[in-house]
Amino acid sequence: MVAISVLDLVPVREGQEAGDALRASMDLARHAEALGYTRYWVAEHHNMTGIASAATAVVIGQLAAATKTIRVGAGGIMLPNHAPLIIAEQFGTLEALFPGRIDLGLGRAPGTDQMTMRAMRRSPMASDQFPQDVLEVQAFFAPAGPNQAIQAVPGAGLNVPLWILGSSLFGAQLAAELGLPYAFASHFAPDALMQALAVYRERFKPSEQLQTSYAMPGINVIAAETDAEARYLATSLQQRFVGMVRGVRGKLQPPIDDIETYWSPAEKAHVSGMLRYAFIGSPETLKRSLGAFIAATQADEIMATAPIFDHAARKRSFEILASIAPEIGVAKAA
């Protein structure tokens, strides 16, 4: 069966503040744990009023403390923004506090705009060093040698699984070369998904961490009792993506009755392309659409995000997804 996990972008809803979003995420993490989800990830973004997970390691610590068994991690840390030693220390600390529960997904995008990158004192060329930085993080987690001058404390000798994140062939090639699990950001950048999965699997080299390839695409899932209700809830997601097209980023907006009056035909076409892997509907609708997706991708795991304005409806969406998981798994096996 296919494992199912949660990607939480810690959305700040219109009318609320970051603290409200963070408390809602802790509640959702406990809910996901009770429902049997495999892992719960948050992602690094900066200078975005609608996303509250900028201090990603801090948020992960709070989520891990609020739960007991579910794996918690970063999907991901934007490594060009940080020194590898600092990330090894941060996630080594998390692993020391919550043994066997911490994941570290690494990406090479800045997670922000060029101006904010300068505010973080990062060079636009920092992403060129991403493969070397990944190797440095990996080395800091290895057991320290007797004469090793610089160690990650905590970190050295701890088992923190690394993942490579990507939305292009670059990440697929790097994950394959290093023998690491691969997560593809198809929840907002779907175009290269199938090609990236093929490249990753074809070129995968076994490693100490992973003997066979392991791929996890990210998707949007908006589930409700009926297709009409799900489509209504999904207008918050659609508004967010229209904002990206317009260059306007703000808080998550409440759903609207008629999305057609909100976007232009060109915006609709653009956003619909970006949301190619948004699965919206009732349980029966999702069984068919998600089953077909898993069969097509042969995913080992899927990571679902659900930018739903109403917190109770968001929790219900994850309940529905969990309830149909066994039948999705059967679809893959067939």
Side-chain angles (χ1 to χ4, degrees):
M1 286 177 58
V2 176
I4 302 182
S5 294
V6 177
L7 173 63
D8 180 9
L9 298 182
V10 196
V12 184
R13 292 176 284 169
E14 186 64 40
Q16 296 197 334
E17 301 302 328
D20 301 306
L22 290 162
R23 284 184 284 274
S25 289
M26 286 188 281
D27 182 60
L28 184 60
R30 288 189 289 265
H31 192 60
E33 180 176 73
L35 291 169
Y37 281 85
T38 300
R39 64 190 89 242
Y40 194 101
W41 282 6
V42 293
E44 177 185 353
H45 294 85
H46 298 281
N47 192 31
M48 296 185 184
T49 57
I51 298 178
S53 53
T56 314
V58 177
V59 176
I60 291 169
Q62 292 298 307
L63 293 170
T67 54
K68 296 179 180 179
T69 57
I70 193 170
R71 297 195 67 88
V72 184
I77 289 294
M78 301 299 105
L79 195 51
N81 297 341
H82 311 277
L85 174 61
I86 298 300
I87 295 305
E89 290 173 339
Q90 289 179 356
F91 281 78
T93 299
L94 289 167
E95 176 64 23
L97 288 169
F98 308 101
R101 295 183 56 204
I102 302 300
D103 296 328
L104 175 53
L106 299 170
R108 68 175 183 134
T112 190
D113 56 75
Q114 295 294 318
M115 186 177 295
T116 308
M117 282 182 63
R118 289 193 290 273
M120 292 190 295
R121 305 296 192 268
R122 304 308 298 164
S123 165
M125 306 304 294
S127 61
D128 294 344
Q129 301 299 315
F130 180 66
Q132 180 60 39
D133 288 347
V134 173
L135 291 174
E136 284 192 36
V137 172
Q138 200 170 43
F140 280 126
F141 282 131
N147 299 313
Q148 186 170 324
I150 302 174
Q151 300 181 28
V153 183
L158 295 183
N159 180 27
V160 178
L162 299 186
W163 290 67
I164 298 296
L165 314 182
S167 58
S168 68
L169 300 186
F170 181 91
Q173 293 166 345
L174 181 62
E177 178 65 27
L178 299 181
L180 295 176
Y182 179 52
F184 190 92
S186 38
H187 60 293
F188 73 90
D191 290 348
L193 172 63
M194 294 303 185
Q195 188 179 4
L197 292 179
V199 167
Y200 170 63
R201 289 167 176 147
E202 290 167 4
R203 302 187 184 184
F204 182 84
K205 298 179 180 179
S207 68
E208 184 176 342
Q209 178 178 327
L210 193 64
Q211 291 299 301
T212 58
S213 64
Y214 194 94
M216 179 174 68
I219 56 175
N220 293 280
V221 178
I222 310 291
E225 307 305 326
T226 67
D227 289 346
E229 183 185 358
R231 286 194 297 268
Y232 172 70
L233 295 175
T235 59
S236 295
L237 170 65
Q238 291 164 331
Q239 289 176 79
R240 168 168 278 185
F241 273 67
V242 171
M244 292 169 61
V245 173
R246 294 175 180 173
V248 178
R249 295 179 182 268
K251 295 182 178 181
L252 187 67
Q253 297 298 305
I256 55 179
D257 290 324
D258 186 5
I259 189 65
E260 300 301 332
T261 62
Y262 185 83
W263 55 18
S264 69
E267 289 170 339
K268 178 180 180 179
H270 192 112
V271 169
S272 297
M274 296 174 72
L275 293 177
R276 184 184 314 161
Y277 298 123
F279 299 91
I280 301 164
S282 65
E284 289 304 316
T285 296
L286 291 178
K287 287 176 191 178
R288 294 190 297 270
S289 60
L290 279 172
F293 175 79
I294 291 170
T297 60
Q298 291 295 293
D300 299 289
E301 185 171 341
I302 56 173
M303 177 159 274
T305 185
I308 296 172
F309 185 82
D310 181 76
H311 184 59
R314 191 176 182 215
K315 292 174 69 174
R316 179 59 185 148
S317 180
F318 281 108
E319 288 175 8
I320 291 171
L321 179 56
S323 72
I324 66 173
E327 292 171 79
I328 295 172
V330 171
K332 185 205 178 196

